[in-house]
Amino acid sequence: MDTAQVIGLIVGVVVVLAIAAVAVLLSRKRKVAADRTKAADLREKAEADEFSAREREAKAARAEADARQAELEAERLRREARGGQEEAESVRAGAQEQLRKADEVDPDFVAGERDDAGAQQTQERESAAGSGEEPRRQTDAGRGHAAGAPSDPGNLSGPRTGEDRPRNL
């Protein structure tokens, strides 16, 4: 082998090595650029996930606050209901007292009728309260008219108006 061939072979190997080195460098640059792009995408996704997590935390905090507010509102309504119940019981007691006074004044009242009707009404009210139903309105101890209506046995049509009352002559 002569010198020219050895020099040509060395130059060829150097050129091939140079081309391989350039290819490796370009490949590394592409990989680094791809890694940078991938890292940027991952950071954006992480930021979006972080934002989503904060948003969910805020929604959860709002839901918790709404639940607390609802509990406070429910407690307020329970107190109002208890107050209304107490007021209703007070009004009922007053109505019973008025009925008792009316019975004392009523010449047609027979003792014992109100006690039987009152016991029946109380029993119905208690059973209706347990079932959530409204109690039915009962007639006044079977006298044929609703409680509180005039006690005229001849008039079963209901309360009298000013027009059908007898006049004192």
Side-chain angles (χ1 to χ4, degrees):
M1 214 182 214
D2 65 351
T3 334
Q5 286 181 336
V6 174
I7 291 178
L9 188 61
I10 292 175
V11 169
V13 170
V14 170
V15 168
V16 169
L17 288 176
I19 291 173
V22 168
V24 168
L25 285 175
L26 290 176
S27 172
R28 283 188 184 167
K29 283 185 180 181
R30 280 190 215 132
K31 185 176 181 331
V32 168
D35 287 346
R36 284 186 182 131
T37 304
K38 186 176 181 180
D41 290 343
L42 289 173
R43 283 188 185 100
E44 286 178 17
K45 186 176 182 330
E47 287 174 7
D49 289 347
E50 178 67 25
F51 179 76
S52 177
R54 283 190 305 219
E55 190 175 53
R56 287 184 181 144
E57 286 173 349
K59 284 181 183 178
R62 276 192 298 259
E64 181 69 24
D66 289 346
R68 285 189 195 129
Q69 182 65 32
E71 288 171 357
L72 291 173
E73 182 68 15
E75 180 61 30
R76 183 186 65 79
L77 290 174
R78 277 194 282 287
R79 287 181 183 158
E80 285 181 10
R82 274 187 240 125
Q85 185 68 26
E86 290 169 1
E87 184 177 337
E89 289 172 5
S90 171
V91 169
R92 183 175 293 118
Q96 291 295 324
E97 181 62 23
Q98 284 181 336
L99 285 173
R100 188 190 61 75
K101 287 179 182 177
D103 290 343
E104 289 175 1
V105 173
D106 188 358
D108 295 331
F109 177 74
V110 176
E113 287 182 355
R114 174 77 59 208
D115 295 337
D116 294 341
Q120 184 178 4
Q121 287 176 346
T122 301
Q123 184 180 19
E124 287 178 0
R125 239 184 272 117
E126 289 172 355
S127 66
S131 66
E133 298 176 4
E134 288 290 322
R136 290 190 324 234
R137 191 170 178 130
Q138 293 293 318
T139 59
D140 187 20
R143 289 195 276 174
H145 57 279
S151 60
D152 181 6
N155 180 12
L156 299 177
S157 62
R160 291 183 178 183
T161 62
E163 298 171 9
D164 61 356
R165 288 191 183 134
R167 295 186 186 153
N168 289 337
L169 296 176

